[in-house]
Amino acid sequence: MSRTTTLRKYGKSERKTRAEQLFEALPTSPPTTRKAKVEVESHEVSRITKQLVSVTLDEKVVIQDKEEIPSTTPTPPSSPPPPPPPEQQPSTPKQPQSPPPRRRIAPTPVPKDEPVPGRLPQKPSQPYSEEEDSTFHSDTSSTSSTLRTLTWSEICPPSNTIEKIAEASYAEVYRITNTLGTSIIKVIRLDSPIKPQTKAQSRSGLVDEEPHTDEDMLGELQISEWLADIPGFVIYKERYIAQGKAPRSLLETHQAFYRREKRKDPDRLQWYPSPSRYLDETRFLVVELGDAGTALEDFEITTSEQLWDIFLHTAIALARAEDLIEFEHRDLHEGNLCVRQARPPLSPGSGYRFNNSGLEVTILDYGLSRASDPDRPGGKVFMDLEKDLSIFTSEHAPQCEVYRGMRSFLLRGDRGILGPKYHTTAYELPAGAVKRRKGSKRRVDWGGYYPYTNVLWLDYIYGWMVENFRGEAKVLRGWEEETRELRVHLDPGQPREVMSFGGAGEVVRFAVEAGWVGEGQLMDGGGSYLSGAGAGDGGEDKKEESESEESERGSRGEEEEEEEEQERLSKRSVRPCRRRQA
């Protein structure tokens, strides 16, 4: 029987190992006359080799360090191969003339099918998209394994008050209050065990929201960072992991929320699992935000000052975000606007219509939003809404019509809204549905910048406030009369010959020209000043618009041929409007 050449080590070795002998036999760098530098480099090499994983000779791993770096994929133990013939050792791979840079020692390869830390996921299964070379410059690149973990009892102890206030895109929203203040937390279920539904829960129509990875939130968190310095957007605090069973207070507020929602909408389904089903291993990603007040859907509007401020605060915030990061919210319904009484109302007759109610309005939830990277031309973050067409075919809520309005605009390049049956085929308009404009071959691209979608949501907010106004009828009639011309240019149902706003920036410019907002008021909250706002001469406005468009085209670089075709369609179909001079 031949003797095996495999070396097995048990306990501490009394002599140098084969690996150490081979390492000493490696060619060394040529000597240098600068002794001090040699000593430093020798020290650096000595320190680095302690972290060395392997050295490759003739494409075979022959050296294995005693201490291995953890890997995501377990590697089975193997015996070291026999050493190469002595005559081949001097001619093994060429060595560099100086020690390689420290960052190149023992690199850890990243599999192609795994997300790279610091980048948005590129796999088709991931909802957010961006350009392949885009990287993040914030803590959004961290994964759940690097975040601190808290139990639910630590998040909401008996001394804290917790209240479920809303359900956002793949997240539940709670308000937590204690002696230190108030915060809003968004809770996203991660892929982890959970109790199965009971028979009663199944009969009640419970639909479990699919678990997510923390990478699903990277896009929203990146947009939150870009919006942090713009007045009117929610403040981002931190994020962490919540794990374990839920305390009674969490279960009670969850149940109270659904009882309240059922009274409003008897057909409403429960989309998120009850906290009674949480196990010790059930994990959630928690994003903590600043408290923005009460959701618009729960706020009682009773005065014209409140109507003015809710609409104009929202329009100005959107306009600033359009100007700075080419932002589209794409989901701005009454649940994603918060209102807070920041100061006492001003007495009537203060001059402008804007900023008299004392309300502070905040936009939140960027789960479906789109924005451009302010630091890198061409970089953008968006959710590809073609991955799930259900929001375009659903009719469970009035805002579903706005979703269809957005996609109809991307499909056809005009304001006409197609019905649910025309939104069943991803990326393309169904054959024979509506004749497409001549020369239009472009697929739906949610990464493009279409500020008209913000106009659709401003029109929705306007209509919602009118329908849910709780003040005197004559007050509402007076406000509607004064804003009649504004509403005409917001309404997507108007005939084609009626000019439309192209974005929130044009809505604000209209308000300035109407005398509702002062130019100085646009500067009060910081942020960017809208170029052209309040200009008295239409010719100057057009000149500034032209310069702005030319600058935007230059910053985005050369567009693809199909995108240029869509832009031409958009400009013909949604024409910028100006307030008619009396």
Side-chain angles (χ1 to χ4, degrees), residues 225-434:
E225 181 181 327
W226 292 338
L227 294 171
D229 296 328
I230 303 178
F233 292 91
V234 70
I235 297 172
Y236 169 74
K237 292 185 176 181
E238 66 167 325
R239 60 176 177 155
Y240 45 85
I241 299 297
Q243 180 172 337
K245 295 181 179 180
R248 185 173 184 81
S249 58
L250 189 67
L251 175 61
E252 289 176 347
T253 188
H254 179 91
Q255 294 172 338
F257 174 83
Y258 277 106
R259 286 196 297 268
R260 185 169 65 249
E261 294 302 311
K262 278 288 186 180
R263 288 194 294 269
K264 296 179 183 177
D265 181 7
D267 296 328
R268 181 187 177 99
L269 296 176
Q270 180 174 330
W271 291 97
Y272 293 91
S274 169
S276 63
R277 297 170 56 197
Y278 297 175
L279 301 171
D280 291 334
E281 300 82 13
T282 308
R283 301 170 74 247
F284 297 84
L285 175 65
V286 179
V287 180
E288 186 171 349
L289 308 167
D291 183 22
T294 304
L296 180 60
E297 60 186 339
D298 298 320
F299 184 80
E300 191 173 86
I301 307 174
T302 58
T303 68
S304 62
E305 288 79 14
Q306 292 172 338
L307 290 168
W308 282 111
D309 280 355
I310 292 172
F311 182 85
L312 292 174
H313 269 296
T314 305
I316 291 171
L318 288 174
R320 284 172 169 150
E322 286 178 356
D323 183 45
L324 290 175
I325 60 171
E326 296 185 330
F327 174 75
E328 298 174 56
H329 192 282
R330 297 181 174 176
D331 195 21
L332 193 54
H333 53 76
E334 65 275 12
N336 288 337
L337 271 180
C338 281
V339 181
R340 185 172 69 89
Q341 193 72 45
R343 57 173 175 77
L346 299 178
S347 57
S350 59
Y352 297 110
R353 298 296 192 190
F354 176 58
N355 216 20
N356 294 320
S357 68
L359 293 181
E360 183 180 273
V361 181
T362 303
I363 298 172
L364 60 154
D365 190 3
Y366 318 126
L368 306 185
S369 299
R370 182 261 182 226
S372 295
D373 190 334
D375 300 320
R376 189 178 63 83
K380 55 192 174 184
V381 175
F382 65 98
M383 176 175 277
D384 189 357
L385 301 182
E386 293 298 287
K387 299 295 184 183
D388 182 5
L389 297 179
S390 61
I391 63 171
F392 305 111
T393 58
S394 176
E395 298 182 82
H396 82 281
Q399 68 257 29
C400 293
E401 187 74 1
V402 189
Y403 300 138
R404 287 189 282 274
M406 293 193 300
R407 190 170 187 270
S408 298
F409 180 74
L410 269 65
L411 284 168
R412 302 178 64 231
D414 62 29
R415 292 180 293 172
I417 299 179
L418 302 173
K421 66 179 181 179
Y422 299 125
H423 299 281
T424 56
T425 305
Y427 297 109
E428 293 287 350
L429 186 67
V434 176

